[in-house]
Amino acid sequence: MHVTLVHVQVKPEHIDDFIAATRLNHLASVQEAGNRRFDVLQVPDNPSQFLLYEVYASAEDAAAHKQTAHYLTWRDTVADWMAQPRQGVPYKALFPEA
C-alpha cells in the first residue's frame, strides 16, 4: 500500500470553500480502482488545518490519481486558498499486511 498524509493550512476565509471542493475530490477519488482510503480530517480547535489521508494500492495508483480530472480541478481550485503550500508526507504501510 502507498500512504500519503497531506497537511493543508487554509486561509480562514476559504474554509467552507475548501471543504466543498475537497468533498468533490474525495467523492471521485474513492471511485478510483486503486484507491483504498481517502479521508479528509479537520483539526477541531484549528478549523483551518486539514489532513488528507490517502491510501492507494500502489505508488502507480497514487501517481495515476494525480493525473485525474478531479484531482487537477481540485489542485487548481484550492491553490489560492492555502495559507502555505500543502505538504504531502509518504508513509510505508506496515499493518494491516496486504
Side-chain angles (χ1 to χ4, degrees), residues 5-43:
L5 300 184
V6 182
H7 302 268
V8 182
Q9 183 74 36
V10 176
K11 295 174 185 173
E13 64 271 22
H14 291 292
I15 291 172
D16 292 338
D17 299 326
F18 179 81
I19 291 171
T22 304
R23 180 178 185 275
L24 295 176
N25 186 44
H26 158 80
L27 291 172
S29 296
V30 298
Q31 299 301 313
E32 295 172 36
N35 181 267
R36 298 296 176 260
R37 289 196 72 90
F38 198 101
D39 299 351
V40 179
L41 310 171
Q42 183 180 31
V43 176

